[in-house]
Amino acid sequence: MRILVLGGDGYLGWPTALHLSDCGHDVAVVDNYARRKYDEELGSQSLVPIEDLEVRVAAWKEVSGKEIPAFVGDLLDADFVYRVVREYEPDTIIHFAEQRAAPYSMIDREHAVYTQHNNVIGNLNVMYAIAEINPEIHLVKLGTMGEYGTPNIDIEEGWLELEHNGRKDRVLFPKKPGSFYHLTKVHDSHNIEFGCRIWGMRATDLNQGVVYGQQTDQTSRDPRLATRFDYDAVFGTVLNRFVIQAALGQPLTVYGKGGQTRGMLDIRDTVECLRLAVENPADRGEFRVFNQMTESFSVKQLAELVAETYPGSVEIDYLENPRWELEEHYYNVKHTGLIELGLKPHLLSDTLIESLFPIVEQNKHRVNLENLLPKVKWASAKNS
Ligand code: NAD
Ligand code: USQ
C-alpha cells in the first residue's frame, strides 16, 4: 500500500513510518516541525537526541535500502495538503499531525485557540482533500481515550446502543474530555463521522491511550533513527516521566490522590495497531472506532511500579493536582477490536521499565530540572 503519515517527524509518527516501511509498504511523511518549535518555546528538548528529518530518512535508506519521501508543510495550508495528496496518491492517510499536549492547550487563551485551530482545521483540510481528490482513501486518524473522560459506566468502542423511552438507536458514545486539547479530538471525531455519512468516506478513529516506551525494532537499529522521549511537565507522558524522574533521583510527581486511571500501551503496540488498521481498512461510509490501549493503571500504581523496579531508592510526592479530573472513579473499557485483528500486546513488565533506565542514564545531562514540575493549572484562566 501507499501510505502518507501526517506528523511523521513526531514521537509516534516517525516509528510508525519506519514500521510500515519495514513491513513492505510505500511510505511518505508530512510534517511542519511544529513539535520542534514547541520545544524552543518551552525551553525543553527530547531527553534522547533526535536527528533532523532529512538525516533520519537518509539513515533509514542506509539501514534498510528503503526511501521515505518527506513533504515539509502545514496542514493548515490547504493548497499544500491537496498538492501532496495529488502527488503521492496514497491508499491510506494516517493522521498524527496535531498539537497533542493537554497542558500546552491549557496554558492560556492563545494556546487553547492555537490548539483547536491547528487540530480541527488541519483535520478538515485533510478530510476535504480526501473527499475531493479520492474518496477511496482510508483515513486512519489518531483520537484519544481521553475523549470519553471517566464516565460512571462501561466505555464501549466508539458507539453505544441506546434504548430511550422505548425506542432504540446506535449513537456515538458520550464524550466528556478533560482539556481543550482532548476536546479537539472530540470535534475531529464528529467531523469525520459526518464525512463518512455525507461523502461516504472510509475512516478509522483510533482512540489511543497514554503511550510509554522509546524504542521499536526499527528505531533501535541506528541512533540516528531514535524517536523523541519527553520528560517535561507539558509534553512528557506519565509513565515515561516517572521512569525519567526515578533515574534522575527526583521524586515521582503523582498529581492529587493518584487514583485517576488511564488506558495505556507500549509504543511497539502503537506501531503494530497502525499496521493492523491500515491493512484492514474500514468500508466506504464506515466510521470505525477502536480503543487503542492494552491495559489500565492508576497513576499511583504506575508510580509504585516504577519505584519497586528502580534499583535505587525512589520518593513518591503527592502534589496538589494542577488539572481538573476525577481522582477516584469507575473505569472499564472495551478494547477488543484490535485484538480481533491480531494484536499481540506487549503488557507492561519490569523488563520494559528496566530497559528505559540506561537510556535516561546516558542522556541525563540534557535535562532541564526546572521543566520537571507542573506549572500549567487548569482551574485558573491565567497561568504563570
Ligand atoms: P508529536 O507532537 O510528537 O507528533 C505530532 C507531529 O505532528 C509533530 O511532529 C508536529 O510537528 C506535527 N504537526 C503538528 N501540527 C501540524 C500541522 N499543522 N501540520 C503538519 N504537521 C503538524 O505527538 P505524538 O506523541 O507522536 O502523537 C501523535 C498523535 O497521536 C497525536 O495526534 C496525539 O494526539 C495522538 N496520541 C498520542 C499519545 C501519546 O501518548 N503520545 C496518546 C494518544 C494519542
Ligand atoms: N499525571 C501525574 N503526574 C505526572 C504526569 C501526569 O499524575 O507527572 C497524571 C495526569 O494528571 C493524568 C494522567 O497522569 O491523570 C495522564 O497524564 P499524561 O500527561 O500522561 O496524559 P494526557 O495528558 O492524558 O495526554 C497524553 C498525551 C495525549 C494523549 C493522551 C491519551 O499527551 O496526546 O491523547 O495521553 S489519554 O490520556 O488516553 O487521553
Side-chain angles (χ1 to χ4, degrees):
M1 282 191 183
R2 290 177 70 75
I3 306 165
L4 202 51
V5 178
L6 314 180
D9 188 46
Y11 169 53
L12 303 177
W14 173 243
T16 300
L18 295 184
H19 182 61
L20 295 171
S21 171
D22 208 24
C23 292
H25 295 292
D26 289 330
V27 181
V29 291
V30 173
D31 211 290
N32 69 345
Y33 302 139
R35 177 69 191 86
R36 293 176 188 253
K37 290 175 198 142
Y38 312 142
D39 270 352
E40 286 169 25
E41 175 192 345
L42 300 170
S44 196
Q45 61 180 351
S46 163
L47 180 82
V48 173
I50 51 165
E51 294 290 353
D52 289 343
L53 188 54
E54 307 88 79
V55 177
R56 288 175 149 184
V57 297
W60 181 242
K61 175 93 196 301
E62 212 178 293
V63 168
S64 71
K66 294 183 176 152
E67 305 264 4
I68 297 187
F71 297 90
V72 176
D74 194 330
L75 297 189
L76 295 180
D77 176 353
D79 291 342
F80 166 76
V81 177
Y82 277 57
R83 182 173 67 71
V84 173
V85 174
R86 285 207 172 92
E87 190 178 318
Y88 194 67
E89 298 185 337
D91 303 301
T92 306
I93 297 181
I94 302 181
H95 182 11
F96 287 102
E98 299 199 330
Q99 191 300 98
R100 68 103 172 132
Y104 190 87
S105 75
M106 299 300 291
I107 293 176
D108 56 13
R109 184 200 63 82
E110 197 187 337
H111 289 80
V113 170
Y114 164 77
T115 302
Q116 295 237 339
H117 185 238
N118 185 63
N119 295 5
V120 177
I121 307 304
N123 181 62
L124 264 178
N125 286 339
V126 173
M127 286 174 56
Y128 264 92
I130 291 174
E132 291 182 8
I133 298 169
N134 178 10
E136 283 297 327
I137 295 172
H138 178 206
L139 174 63
V140 178
K141 169 68 172 46
L142 269 293
T144 181
M145 282 304 299
E147 290 185 42
Y148 304 115
T150 52
N152 199 30
I153 55 173
D154 293 344
I155 297 176
E156 300 298 321
E157 214 142 11
W159 293 89
L160 182 66
E161 301 283 343
L162 199 67
E163 186 170 344
H164 182 62
N165 293 344
R167 301 185 66 82
K168 289 185 181 170
D169 206 348
R170 180 174 180 259
V171 296
L172 287 178
F173 194 91
K175 310 286 172 82
K176 205 175 183 186
S179 74
F180 284 121
Y181 152 70
H182 287 95
L183 270 153
T184 67
K185 298 289 188 179
V186 175
H187 304 327
D188 291 342
S189 294
H190 284 119
N191 286 344
I192 297 169
E193 191 272 335
F194 185 60
C196 291
R197 269 188 284 146
I198 60 167
W199 297 324
M201 270 178 68
R202 53 170 95 234
T204 302
D205 204 9
L206 296 173
N207 285 340
Q208 182 169 239
V210 186
V211 182
Y212 56 82
Q214 198 264 334
Q215 289 186 329
T216 64
D217 286 349
Q218 292 78 31
T219 63
S220 53
R221 285 193 209 165
D222 187 298
R224 293 170 297 168
L225 299 174
T227 196
R228 47 182 315 125
F229 196 31
D230 293 307
Y231 67 89
D232 62 282
V234 176
F235 276 90
T237 48
V238 63
L239 181 57
N240 286 351
R241 267 168 64 74
F242 287 171
V243 166
I244 293 167
Q245 288 166 341
L248 291 173
Q250 296 291 321
L252 311 193
T253 54
V254 172
Y255 299 164
K257 297 190 185 112
Q260 53 276 50
T261 301
R262 296 290 180 268
M264 315 270 307
L265 75 164
D266 186 306
I267 191 169
R268 293 169 296 177
D269 290 340
T270 292
V271 301
E272 185 57 4
C273 288
L274 265 300
R275 181 186 71 75
L276 291 167
V278 164
E279 292 180 358
N280 299 279
D283 292 332
R284 282 293 301 269
E286 184 188 8
F287 177 70
R288 182 176 65 167
V289 184
F290 292 133
N291 291 339
Q292 185 166 309
M293 53 165 282
T294 59
E295 289 177 283
S296 299
F297 295 97
S298 73
V299 166
K300 185 168 185 277
Q301 276 177 313
L302 292 173
E304 287 170 354
L305 200 59
V306 171
E308 281 160 23
T309 311
Y310 189 67
S313 70
V314 175
E315 193 187 322
I316 301 178
D317 269 3
Y318 290 85
L319 305 181
E320 188 187 337
N321 198 334
R323 304 186 183 200
W324 194 94
E325 59 188 0
L326 296 181
E327 292 169 11
E328 278 164 347
H329 57 86
Y330 179 77
Y331 200 66
N332 186 30
V333 183
K334 184 170 171 198
H335 52 98
T336 50
L338 287 157
I339 300 283
E340 280 160 16
L341 288 184
L343 178 69
K344 306 244 174 336
H346 293 85
L347 299 182
L348 182 60
S349 63
D350 297 354
T351 353
L352 181 275
I353 295 178
E354 276 162 15
S355 73
L356 294 171
F357 293 134
I359 300 176
V360 185
E361 191 56 38
Q362 272 166 28
N363 295 291
K364 61 184 188 190
H365 58 281
R366 292 170 54 84
V367 171
N368 178 353
L369 288 178
E370 280 183 17
N371 291 336
L372 274 182
L373 286 176
K375 297 187 187 93
V376 180
K377 294 193 171 63
W378 265 225
S380 146
K382 193 165 169 28
N383 290 294
S384 53

